Amino acid sequence: MSTADFLILFIGVAIPIALFRVAPIFVLKGRQLPASVTRALGFIPPAAFAALVANDLFDPAKLASGSLRDWAAPLVAAAITGAVGTKTKSLAWCIVVGVASLAVLQALPF
């Protein structure tokens, strides 16, 4: 890749990043957002977390492998994490418990 190609690619990526990630911080500074927008923004962390979990739970390769550890451990860890999330309403606790429970379940000899 030539330097000119790299610069075109870099600028082509840097401009949208600046527009969509950095500019709203300056534009919205000091403004009060409507309640509906604040409520909608509250759904972003759980939605991102659910997308990560769904990617691990419904992997066709794991389901087709036939290994109990490959497909059952993520399902059990997800159930444990769901119970913790329902009880605590904390994304941080969900992440900690989910990672720990999956690690423990995958380490079990079955």
Side-chain angles (χ1 to χ4, degrees), residues 9-101:
L9 182 64
F10 181 79
I11 292 169
V13 171
I15 290 172
I17 287 174
L19 287 175
F20 295 115
R21 292 190 177 193
V22 178
I25 294 171
F26 294 111
V27 171
L28 298 174
K29 186 178 180 180
R31 291 188 179 180
Q32 184 68 26
L33 294 174
S36 60
V37 172
T38 304
R39 193 171 129 246
L41 290 174
F43 291 116
I44 292 174
F49 188 57
L52 292 171
V53 170
N55 188 38
D56 191 39
L57 288 179
F58 304 113
D59 184 5
K62 287 183 181 179
L63 295 173
S65 73
S67 171
L68 185 63
R69 180 180 293 153
D70 285 345
W71 63 268
L75 287 174
V76 173
I80 293 168
T81 304
V84 168
T86 302
K87 179 77 173 166
T88 65
K89 306 282 191 241
S90 169
L91 184 62
W93 276 114
C94 287
I95 292 169
V96 169
V97 169
V99 169
S101 62

